[in-house]
Amino acid sequence: DSLVPNRTRENVEDVSSFAEDVEKFLELAKRKDGSLLEEKKKRREKASLTDTAARETTRKKEEEVKEEEEEEDVLLRERGNMHFRRGEYAEAEASYTKSLQGKETAAALSNRAMVRLKLGKAEACAKDCQRSVDLLLEEDEVGEATSKRDGLLVKTWQRKGTAEMEMKMYREAAASFENALRIEPESRTIREQRKAAVKEMAMIEVKDGEVELRARDFLAKRQRVSIEKKKELETPSPAAIVQTKKKEAMAKEEMKTTTMDIEKVRKAISKLDHDEEEIKTGPIFDKQWKLAATSSEKKCKILRAVRAENITKILAERLTGDLLGDIIVAILTHWITEDYANTSSNDDDDPVNWLTALTKTNRFSMASMLLSGEAKTNARESWNRCVQRLEKNKNMNSVALDRLEHLRANFRL
C-alpha cells in the first residue's frame, strides 16, 4: 500500500520539473525572439540611414552638376558680352549660341539678336527677338523683377523693329516700336524710330478716328515706269505714242487715287506721337498707373485718359486712401494750371468735373477718411498752392474758385 503514494509523489515531482523546464524554455525563447527583433530593427534603421545618405549624396551631386552648368552658361554669356564690346561679333554669336544650348534664356536670346543685327542677319535677329519676347511674357514677376523684365522687353522689341526695318517690313516694324512704347512711352528715340517706320509706309488714312497703315514702294514703281518710258521713247511710233498717252493718263488717274494727303499724314503722325488712348477698364488703368511709378505728371496723363462718366466703373473697387492722395496731387499740380480760367465748366476736359465725378464713387467716403497723415498733408499743400496760383490769374472768376472750395470740403481737406 505504501508504494502507491510514493509513485504518485514521484509523478507529481516529475510533472512539476517538466513545467519548470517548459517555463524556462518559453522565457529563453522570448529573450531570443526579442534579441532577434532588436537586431532586425537595427539592420532596418541602418539600411534606412544608408538609403537616406545615398539619396542625399545623389541630390548633392545633381545640385553640383546644375550649378556647374549654370556657372558655365554665365561664363559663356559673359564671354559673349566681352566679344561684343570688342566688336568681335562672330565670336560673340558663337558664345551666346553655346550658352543657349545649355539653357534657353530671354536675356541670351536678346543679346544674340543684337549681335546678329550687327552681322546683318536681320531675319535671324527678328526670330531671336520673338522667342525672347515669348519667354519674357510667360514669366510672372513682381517688384524689381518686373522692372528688369520690362526693361529687357523694351530693348528686345526695339531690336526686332530695327531688324524688320532692314527687311523693309515697315508695318511689322511700326508694330514692334509701338509695343516698346507701351512699356516706355517717354522714350524719344523709340518714338523717332516708330515715326521713321510710319514714313516708309506709302499712305496713312484716318478712317473713323483710327489710323490705317498701307505699305507701297513708290520709288521702285517710279523707277520701273521711268525705264519703260525710256524704252518706248527710243523707238517712237504712232501706236507707241498712243499707248504712252494712255499709260500717262492711267498713271495720273492712279496718282490721284493714291496721292498722300500731307495734312492727314501730319495729323496721323502727330496722333501717334501725342494722343493718349482712352482708358476704359480697370486692368488697363492698373497697368498704366503702375508704369507711371512715382511720376505725378505721368499719373495726370493717365487720369486725363479716363472719361468722367467711366470713373465710377473703373475706380469702384480700387479707390484707396493712398490712391486718392496721388490723384489729388496729380490733378491739382498738372491739370489745373494757370489757364484754367479758359476752361468751360461744361468741357469734357474740365478737371473740376472730373473730381466731382470721383466723389460719387462707392469707396470715396471711406478713402477720404483713410487718407494717411503724409498723404493728407501733401494733398492739402497741393490744394493750397493750386488756389494761390489761380488767385494770381486776373482772368479767374469767383465761380471757379467757389467750385474748388466746395469740392475741398467734400475731400475733407
Side-chain angles (χ1 to χ4, degrees):
D1 292 340
S2 62
L3 293 174
V4 174
N6 290 334
R7 285 183 180 176
T8 302
R9 190 164 48 251
E10 289 175 357
N11 289 337
V12 170
E13 289 176 354
D14 289 341
V15 169
S16 299
S17 176
F18 177 74
E20 289 177 1
D21 291 341
V22 169
E23 287 180 2
K24 289 179 180 179
F25 174 78
L26 291 175
E27 184 66 26
L28 183 62
K30 284 181 182 180
R31 285 200 299 270
K32 191 171 184 180
D33 287 345
S35 63
L36 288 173
L37 289 172
E38 185 68 25
E39 185 177 352
K40 188 176 181 180
K41 182 178 178 182
K42 288 180 179 179
R43 285 201 302 269
R44 191 183 299 117
E45 289 176 353
K46 186 177 180 181
S48 176
L49 290 172
T50 304
D51 292 343
T52 304
R55 286 196 298 270
E56 183 66 19
T57 302
T58 303
R59 185 184 65 80
K60 287 182 178 179
K61 286 183 178 179
E62 290 176 351
E63 288 181 354
E64 288 175 359
V65 170
K66 186 177 180 181
E67 288 177 1
E68 288 175 0
E69 289 176 350
E70 289 178 353
E71 288 176 1
E72 186 177 358
D73 291 341
V74 170
L75 287 173
L76 286 169
R77 287 199 296 272
E78 290 297 328
R79 191 177 300 165
N81 295 340
M82 179 188 69
H83 286 307
F84 180 79
R85 287 192 293 269
R86 293 177 179 177
E88 300 167 348
Y89 301 130
E91 291 82 355
E93 182 186 19
S95 294
Y96 289 134
T97 301
K98 193 171 181 181
S99 168
L100 287 166
Q101 290 171 355
K103 183 180 180 182
E104 192 178 46
T105 64
L109 282 165
S110 185
N111 288 347
R112 187 174 70 173
M114 186 61 188
V115 171
R116 288 180 165 178
L117 188 62
K118 294 286 187 181
L119 291 170
K121 301 178 180 180
E123 185 176 357
C125 169
K127 287 182 180 179
D128 277 353
C129 288
Q130 187 58 58
R131 179 56 184 155
S132 176
V133 167
D134 292 341
L135 290 175
L136 287 168
L137 294 179
E138 288 173 3
E139 295 177 2
D140 186 16
E141 304 289 356
V142 294
E144 293 182 3
T146 300
S147 178
K148 186 176 180 181
R149 183 193 65 178
D150 288 349
L152 184 55
L153 265 174
V154 170
K155 291 179 182 178
T156 307
W157 278 124
Q158 189 176 10
R159 290 165 186 172
K160 185 172 183 287
T162 304
E164 288 162 345
M165 287 289 287
E166 290 189 6
M167 292 187 287
K168 296 185 178 181
M169 298 168 62
Y170 302 125
R171 180 190 296 275
E172 291 80 359
S176 294
F177 293 134
E178 182 64 29
N179 285 327
L181 283 171
R182 287 178 183 174
I183 303 172
E184 195 172 320
E186 302 301 321
S187 174
R188 189 172 300 175
T189 301
I190 301 176
R191 283 185 178 275
E192 290 299 323
Q193 288 177 310
R194 180 186 63 181
K195 187 183 293 186
V198 169
K199 286 182 179 179
E200 292 292 340
M201 318 284 289
M203 182 166 54
I204 298 176
E205 292 183 354
V206 180
K207 292 182 179 180
D208 301 327
E210 295 185 357
V211 177
E212 180 181 347
L213 308 176
R214 296 179 180 175
R216 290 174 64 90
D217 192 343
F218 278 104
L219 181 59
K221 182 176 178 180
R222 288 196 189 102
Q223 289 174 347
R224 289 195 300 271
V225 171
S226 177
I227 292 170
E228 289 172 2
K229 285 184 178 181
K230 186 176 180 181
K231 288 181 178 179
E232 291 172 359
L233 291 173
E234 287 176 355
T235 55
S237 65
I241 293 172
V242 172
Q243 190 68 17
T244 300
K245 288 183 177 180
K246 285 184 179 179
K247 286 186 177 181
E248 287 178 351
M250 290 175 63
K252 286 181 180 179
E253 187 64 28
E254 185 180 358
M255 288 299 292
K256 285 181 181 179
T257 60
T258 61
T259 299
M260 295 172 61
D261 186 333
I262 302 302
E263 184 61 23
K264 282 185 179 181
V265 172
R266 186 188 66 77
K267 289 182 178 179
I269 293 176
S270 176
K271 179 179 180 64
L272 286 172
D273 279 340
H274 303 295
D275 284 2
E276 297 289 341
E277 292 183 3
E278 181 183 346
I279 296 175
K280 296 182 180 180
T281 63
I284 294 176
F285 176 85
D286 292 340
K287 181 178 180 181
Q288 296 295 328
W289 195 262
K290 185 178 179 181
L291 290 173
T294 58
S295 173
S296 180
E297 186 175 0
K298 289 181 182 178
K299 289 178 180 178
C300 181
K301 289 182 180 179
I302 294 169
L303 297 174
R304 297 186 77 161
V306 178
R307 297 179 66 85
E309 59 265 27
N310 294 330
I311 293 173
T312 54
K313 178 180 71 174
I314 292 174
L315 298 180
E317 303 299 328
R318 291 173 171 77
L319 194 61
T320 62
D322 291 339
L323 177 58
L324 180 63
D326 289 344
I327 289 174
I328 294 171
V329 172
I331 290 179
L332 294 176
T333 305
H334 300 288
W335 195 346
I336 304 180
T337 56
E338 287 80 356
D339 60 352
Y340 175 63
N342 301 323
T343 304
S344 169
S345 60
N346 297 321
D347 194 343
D348 290 338
D349 199 39
D350 180 16
V352 176
N353 287 345
W354 203 100
L355 289 171
T356 302
L358 180 62
T359 62
K360 298 176 183 178
T361 56
N362 295 336
R363 298 173 61 90
F364 173 76
S365 297
M366 181 64 68
S368 61
M369 287 190 293
L370 293 177
L371 266 173
S372 63
E374 184 180 358
K376 194 164 189 175
T377 300
N378 292 337
R380 186 180 291 115
E381 289 177 354
S382 297
W383 209 299
N384 291 337
R385 285 195 296 270
C386 178
V387 171
Q388 292 171 5
R389 200 165 56 242
L390 295 177
E391 286 176 344
K392 293 179 181 178
N393 190 340
K394 296 179 181 179
N395 298 324
M396 178 59 63
N397 55 53
S398 59
V399 175
L401 290 171
D402 289 344
R403 291 176 68 206
L404 269 176
E405 194 61 31
H406 177 70
L407 263 180
R408 186 170 190 165
N410 290 341
F411 279 85
R412 306 170 191 255
L413 297 174

